[in-house]
């Protein structure tokens, strides 16, 4: 079973918003982000843990980054108004 990210406190609004954006991703994308950024495993170990090919891992990370970046952009624009 792949762990999910659980954080009880956030250092600032940016960290909170990022966590929430990751939480809105599909389970596969969110788990990929957590395994990549929190566990810092080699690509091979990440693929074994997630049960996917390296090309799939890289694709999921790219999609997840794009979606999180887009959501954070919307949040920032709305907080300025």
């Amino acid at each position: 079973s792949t762990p999910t990210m659980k954080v009880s406190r956030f250092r600032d609004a940016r960290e909170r918003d990022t966590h929430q954006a990751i939480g809105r991703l599909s389970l596969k994308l969110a788990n990929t982000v957590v395994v990549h950024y929190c566990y810092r495993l080699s690509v091979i170990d990440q693929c074994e843990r997630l049960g996917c090919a390296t090309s799939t891992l890289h694709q999921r990370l790219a999609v997840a980054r794009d979606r999180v970046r887009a959501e954070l952009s919307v949040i920032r624009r709305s907080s300025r108004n």
Side-chain angles (χ1 to χ4, degrees):
S1 151
T2 303
T4 56
M5 206 161 90
K6 289 188 179 183
V7 178
S8 58
R9 290 200 172 148
F10 304 104
R11 288 178 283 181
D12 55 29
R14 183 177 180 169
E15 185 176 290
R16 180 201 63 222
D17 294 344
T18 301
H19 177 78
Q20 289 175 349
I22 292 168
R24 289 185 187 98
L25 295 171
S26 70
L27 189 56
K28 281 185 181 182
L29 291 179
N31 283 342
T32 301
V33 168
V34 170
V35 168
H36 181 76
Y37 289 103
C38 296
Y39 288 86
R40 300 269 190 196
L41 300 171
S42 70
V43 170
I44 292 170
D45 289 340
Q46 290 177 53
C47 291
E48 285 179 9
R49 182 167 286 201
L50 295 166
C52 66
T54 57
S55 59
T56 302
L57 174 74
H58 293 296
Q59 179 194 25
R60 287 181 189 173
L61 286 170
V63 170
R65 286 182 195 119
D66 287 346
R67 290 183 184 173
V68 168
R69 192 177 302 118
E71 184 160 342
L72 291 176
S73 177
V74 169
I75 290 169
R76 287 185 193 118
R77 278 196 305 267
S78 68
S79 68
R80 288 183 209 151
N81 297 333

